[in-house]
Amino acid sequence: MLYNSTRDGKNKISAAEAIATGLARDGGLFVPDTIPALNPEDIKALCNMDYRQRAVKVMSMFLEDFTVSELEVFAGKAYGLNYDTPDIAPVKTLDSNTHCLELWHGPTCAFKDMALQMLPHLLTASLKKTGETRRVCILVATSGDTGKAALEGFADVEGTKIFVFFPKDGVSDIQQMQMTTQGGDNVGVCSVVGNFDDVQTGVKLIFSDEKMREELTEKGWFLSSANSINWGRLLPQIVYYISAYCDLVKAGRINLGDEINYCVPTGNFGNILAGYYAKCMGLPVKKLICASNSNDVLTEFINTGVYNRNRQFFTTVSPSMDILVSSNLERLLYELSGKDAELISGYMKELTDNGKYTVDRDIFSAVQSVFSGGSCGEEDTKNTVGKMYREYNYLIDTHTAVAFKILDDYRRGTGDMTDCVVVSTASPYKFSQAVLSAIGGNTEGLDGFGYIDALNRISGVKIPRPLDELRQKSVRFTGAIEKSAMPGRVKEFIAE
Ligand SMILES: *Cc1c(COP(=O)(O)O)cnc(C)c1O
């Protein structure tokens, strides 16, 4: 199997090349030219495997230029004692047809670990396979979760360095602590005066700086990003959709072959898109329910066929979903259009030029046959955290709450009571302040660890070790720089 850009169906490259390159030169995203088939026998076999073995099996179907033993080594490193449960991605059943897939048992307590613990191994191996002799420096602009997950993934990975910029007053106390105490000899972290947009623009400028690129090449380095457009970040996410299905079969909750639904709290469309690929492989999925917060550009698209980013931006209690441009949607449109690269290029040009596009009737009806979408406001998000805690004694974070609310709306609206897996993307402790107040706790006068301890006192739910241990860690990275100083800071870091 080979890969091609969503904007060019003809030029084919290997999986290693797709992962080493990240974004296609024509601006498109890399996609596999055929989607491997998972038949019921395969699923049955996967049921008797542990998470690591499932990851090896599923990923090997997409990575023909990697050996199984290579992937076993990667999976051993990515999904091991860095997780607080040997199940890695456990499924918790809440009632007869509602299940929750917990994707936050990794080192940073959010779902991005599922991919970012794996990506560094895929990337470094891909660079070797493609004959790249320069070393890679990963550059990240983060509004919180991604930066820490990328740091944790790349820390002390040979042949790499990683530098993370975050907005000085734009992340929570705990998120800042998570990043500024990061261990590893190849990591750097710095805050920038400004908001997330400023930081992201600064990083984009560095990526497009030809002169800097030449300078770095002379020194034997090149820059790359760890964002969710890289195929190496999407692929590990396909695994947990299949794994959750297997767990339900194994537990006798469903029979092999039964169709189920998944409800996914969505921002950049990376997580839910992996579910779509799992369905295309043959996993029995009926509906993928896309749950948005007030920034509901995707829900609007699913319900109208119009993608329109010209809209107000809201800052919400589910900040990791505060996104208006969902890059990964391009991959879905490519598949649903019957791989029409020309059509997709046209839509993306409209998006750049006018901030909106309308898909044709066939694509729209294909979207509607697979997806359902809904959006959830701030009050409903908080109320749902409280309701799940009272009714199920189950503590969830704000992003997961958006999904539970949308599932409830979906079931009421359609009467479809099919078994549904709600994808839980963060530990409630990662968003302690909002969660504490949602379950009726007093947040007055508290700060980062105060919220965590109060939440622990009230709920009795164990504090994840990586968050608890932050208290003892010393801050390694301090100070803030101006946006204009970012390129210089990166050069210094690479020379260190
Ligand atoms: C990143 C993130 C999301 C959104 O995932 P996408 O792949 O961008 O749709 C949801 N919840 C949490 C906690 C996240 O960190």
Side-chain angles (χ1 to χ4, degrees):
M1 175 214 303
L2 292 173
Y3 288 75
N4 61 268
S5 162
T6 48
R7 301 187 195 175
D8 173 8
K10 291 186 197 75
N11 199 1
K12 312 251 174 177
I13 59 173
S14 69
E17 286 172 296
I19 293 169
T21 318
L23 186 71
R25 225 159 263 140
D26 56 25
L29 277 59
F30 289 116
V31 284
D33 65 355
T34 50
I35 296 176
L38 199 61
N39 59 44
E41 281 307 307
D42 294 328
I43 299 177
K44 200 167 163 188
L46 285 164
C47 287
N48 296 315
M49 297 181 188
D50 66 16
Y51 192 85
R52 273 197 291 278
Q53 295 167 319
R54 289 171 184 169
V56 171
K57 169 70 187 155
V58 173
M59 295 203 324
S60 70
M61 296 170 85
F62 286 91
L63 301 175
E64 284 171 357
D65 40 348
F66 288 69
T67 65
V68 165
S69 54
E70 269 180 302
L71 295 176
E72 279 168 355
V73 172
F74 302 165
K77 290 181 185 167
Y79 309 122
L81 294 175
N82 47 346
Y83 276 70
D84 69 9
T85 161
D87 296 337
I88 307 297
V91 176
K92 191 176 162 82
T93 287
L94 297 179
D95 61 30
S96 64
N97 57 358
T98 312
H99 318 276
C100 193
L101 170 60
E102 296 180 345
L103 298 180
W104 40 261
H105 290 275
T108 78
C109 308
F111 101 98
K112 290 184 176 67
D113 288 333
M114 298 304 296
L116 280 165
Q117 287 294 301
M118 177 57 79
L119 177 70
H121 308 298
L122 292 176
L123 181 63
T124 47
S126 296
L127 293 173
K128 279 207 191 93
K129 284 178 200 292
T130 56
E132 176 62 69
T133 52
R134 293 171 299 173
R135 286 180 291 170
V136 61
C137 177
I138 303 293
L139 210 53
V140 182
T142 187
S143 55
D145 284 349
T146 307
K148 175 60 182 178
L151 283 167
E152 201 59 51
F154 280 93
D156 289 330
V157 171
E158 222 185 287
T160 73
K161 281 194 172 195
I162 175 164
F163 200 88
V164 172
F165 289 110
F166 68 89
K168 183 167 171 289
D169 299 308
V171 302
S172 75
D173 298 351
I174 295 292
Q175 283 175 325
Q176 177 159 343
M177 284 283 283
Q178 278 189 304
M179 291 189 276
T180 56
T181 61
Q182 175 67 46
D185 289 335
N186 63 336
V187 308
V189 174
C190 186
S191 72
V192 178
V193 180
N195 60 27
F196 174 62
D197 264 344
D198 296 320
V199 180
Q200 195 164 38
T201 315
V203 164
K204 280 187 181 157
L205 275 175
I206 296 176
F207 273 117
S208 60
D209 185 339
E210 289 292 336
K211 195 161 153 271
M212 181 154 167
R213 187 194 314 248
E214 281 167 25
E215 276 175 43
L216 291 180
T217 295
E218 272 168 32
K219 298 199 173 80
W221 286 91
F222 75 104
L223 298 173
S224 182
S225 85
N227 63 22
S228 71
I229 50 153
N230 192 308
W231 179 253
R233 248 189 90 173
L234 198 69
L235 177 58
Q237 298 179 170
I238 299 175
V239 177
Y240 53 72
Y241 284 90
I242 298 168
S243 177
Y245 188 92
C246 292
D247 283 349
L248 291 178
V249 171
K250 219 175 159 187
R253 298 279 172 187
I254 58 172
N255 295 314
L256 186 65
D258 288 352
E259 283 195 324
I260 64 170
N261 295 335
Y262 289 84
C263 184
V264 189
T266 304
N268 204 11
F269 208 73
N271 194 348
I272 195 167
L273 180 71
Y276 174 73
Y277 278 111
K279 178 176 167 63
C280 292
M281 291 177 77
L283 189 73
V285 178
K286 186 171 166 191
K287 279 277 179 191
L288 291 165
I289 305 164
C290 169
S292 305
N293 64 22
S294 305
N295 297 297
D296 57 354
V297 63
L298 278 168
T299 293
E300 184 181 83
F301 171 73
I302 289 167
N303 292 325
T304 64
V306 181
Y307 191 94
N308 186 357
R309 57 169 288 192
N310 305 312
R311 52 187 10 254
Q312 194 185 341
F313 177 83
F314 298 100
T315 301
T316 72
V317 287
S318 45
S320 303
M321 290 151 64
D322 292 344
I323 287 170
L324 291 185
V325 179
S326 301
S327 341
N328 266 302
L329 187 62
E330 181 169 344
R331 284 193 167 107
L332 176 74
L333 299 179
Y334 180 77
E335 297 299 335
L336 293 181
S337 69
K339 301 182 187 288
D340 189 339
E342 208 175 314
L343 185 69
I344 302 308
S345 305
Y347 291 154
M348 295 307 135
K349 184 165 186 322
E350 283 180 57
L351 185 63
T352 310
D353 294 348
N354 313 319
K356 80 185 254 196
Y357 59 84
T358 306
V359 294
D360 71 28
R361 258 215 330 253
D362 291 345
I363 297 184
F364 180 46
S365 64
V367 168
Q368 291 221 307
S369 70
V370 182
F371 292 89
S372 176
S375 74
C376 172
E378 296 293 276
E379 278 312 300
D380 279 339
T381 304
K382 291 179 211 156
N383 289 341
T384 304
V385 172
K387 179 171 169 261
M388 294 302 294
Y389 182 64
R390 285 192 309 275
E391 291 181 11
Y392 293 93
N393 192 28
Y394 188 45
L395 198 63
I396 56 172
D397 93 291
T398 44
H399 303 74
T400 308
V402 168
F404 272 105
K405 172 65 168 69
I406 298 305
L407 173 61
D408 200 40
D409 291 350
Y410 170 83
R411 283 177 167 167
R412 279 173 212 275
T414 60
D416 176 9
M417 300 304 281
T418 303
D419 275 80
C420 186
V421 172
V422 172
V423 177
S424 178
T425 51
S427 157
Y429 280 102
K430 199 136 193 210
F431 299 92
S432 292
Q433 182 180 6
V435 172
L436 175 64
S437 107
I439 65 166
N442 187 359
T443 56
E444 241 168 89
L446 300 179
D447 63 1
F449 287 110
Y451 303 126
I452 289 180
D453 290 332
L455 191 56
N456 174 252
R457 260 196 317 276
I458 296 180
S459 71
V461 174
K462 199 170 164 291
I463 304 171
R465 219 169 74 194
L467 294 181
D468 210 16
E469 284 178 352
L470 281 179
R471 295 176 221 261
Q472 284 97 48
K473 292 213 165 146
S474 43
V475 172
R476 294 179 65 196
F477 305 101
T478 53
I481 62 171
E482 295 293 332
K483 197 167 123 188
S484 56
M486 290 170 69
R489 186 67 195 85
V490 172
K491 282 185 217 168
E492 263 170 48
F493 171 66
I494 287 179
E496 271 167 21

